[in-house]
Structures are given as structure tokens and as C-alpha cells.
Amino acid sequence: MSKNIILTNQEIEHKIKRIAYQIYETFVDENEVVIAGIASNGSIFAQKIASALSEISTLKVSLCEVKINKQNPQLPIHTSLSKEEYENKGLVLVDDVLNSGTTLIYAVRHFLDVPLKKFKTAVLVDRNHKKYPVKADFKGISLSTSLLEHVQVVFDENKGDSAFLS
């Protein structure tokens, strides 16, 4: 099956900066924001957003890795930060691709157990095939694809980042 590049390394860098600015605008009245990335690609994307956000703002940026079983999202979710560390703070939940919304909605549900000042979501690619009523507040690109097509995001320090449609 052929791979079509939908985002080049340069385009992904641009999307990361744009999302970082959008997050800064949304959380400008806060002192701190937690960027929580869904393992594994969502975590890498979250690190890149956090780095860009630190460059452009005075916000204290904390990173959190969210571990969720994507085949069985009802299983307990684990985070690298304790609930007390993100309680009453602004939080952005990050993933690379929003497809059916299953992973994102279960991760959102996990964070709803803790009082947060603001809660937003960010994805690099929004595929518009939602099975759940979840949306990305910040997105790099929206794609209308067929259910048979697959979007893959590759974060590669040596060859550069890219997103493919196959």
C-alpha cells in the first residue's frame, strides 16, 4: 500500500508552534499549564509543544505522560504526575491522531476526577471519524479520510518528523 505524505517535518514544526501560541493565548491568565501527552506518540508531540510553549511564554510548563491501554481503554489509566500535581491547574491533553475518539474520551474521563482550572485537548491530525462526542480544541490539520485509510505520525530525530496516509 502506498504512503502519501500529509505533513512534512517543516509543516509539523509550524503546526507545533501554532498550537503552542494557541495554548498560550488560552492560558495567558494562568501561571502554570500541564501538557499531558498520551503515550507514546502523543507524549512525544506533547514534549514538542511544551518546548515551543516554554520558548514563547513565561508560563511554567509541566509535562505529564498518560499511559492508556488503547485496545482496552476501560483499564486503569496511569499518569507520570500524581493527581495533586495537576489539581487546580490548566491542563492540555495531547495525542497525535484523533480517529474514533475512544482513546481521547477515556483519557478525558480520567482527568475529570480532579478539579482543573481549564481543560483543553490538542491533536496533530483530526480524522473526523468520531464514535464519541469529543473534539480537539487545538489541531494541526483536519482530514476527511475513508475508514480504510490509516494515518501514521512518525517522530524521527534523524530523518525528521512526518505524517503519512496509507
Side-chain angles (χ1 to χ4, degrees):
M1 192 177 274
S2 66
K3 287 185 175 181
N4 296 319
I5 295 176
I6 51 175
L7 289 172
T8 64
N9 186 62
Q10 187 175 4
E11 290 168 329
I12 289 174
E13 289 298 317
H14 177 74
K15 306 285 184 203
I16 289 167
K17 284 186 179 136
R18 186 171 51 79
I19 289 170
Y21 275 106
Q22 289 174 317
I23 291 170
Y24 183 38
E25 288 171 7
T26 303
F27 292 91
V28 71
D29 54 342
E30 302 295 328
N31 297 322
E32 183 176 354
V33 64
V34 176
I35 307 293
I38 297 173
S40 57
N41 262 5
S43 254
I44 297 168
F45 189 44
Q47 289 168 12
K48 291 174 179 283
I49 291 171
S51 175
L53 190 56
S54 294
E55 287 176 18
I56 62 167
S57 77
T58 56
L59 288 169
K60 179 181 181 230
V61 180
S62 300
L63 265 172
C64 176
E65 185 176 36
V66 181
K67 292 187 177 164
I68 182 170
N69 182 324
K70 292 185 180 188
Q71 281 68 44
N72 193 356
Q74 298 90 349
L75 291 175
I77 293 172
H78 302 283
T79 57
S80 61
L81 295 179
S82 68
K83 291 184 178 187
E84 293 75 27
E85 290 176 284
Y86 52 81
E87 188 174 53
N88 295 315
K89 294 181 181 162
L91 189 138
V92 181
L93 181 62
V94 178
D95 205 359
D96 60 339
V97 179
L98 173 54
N99 188 21
S100 69
T102 303
T103 303
L104 206 57
I105 198 109
Y106 278 96
V108 165
R109 188 181 81 179
H110 171 80
F111 285 103
L112 292 179
D113 291 338
V114 177
L116 298 170
K117 280 189 177 176
K118 283 184 190 168
F119 187 18
K120 301 289 181 185
T121 55
V123 297
L124 180 59
V125 180
D126 183 356
R127 287 197 56 200
N128 301 320
H129 289 297
K130 293 177 200 55
K131 166 166 112 169
Y132 294 99
V134 64
K135 72 175 184 73
D137 297 296
F138 313 114
K139 55 190 154 202
I141 188 172
S142 289
L143 281 182
S144 293
T145 59
S146 80
L147 288 170
L148 300 175
E149 292 172 307
H150 178 74
V151 172
Q152 181 182 5
V153 176
V154 178
F155 292 113
D156 186 330
E157 290 180 25
N158 301 323
K159 295 181 184 174
D161 304 337
S162 57
F164 298 96
L165 181 65
S166 57

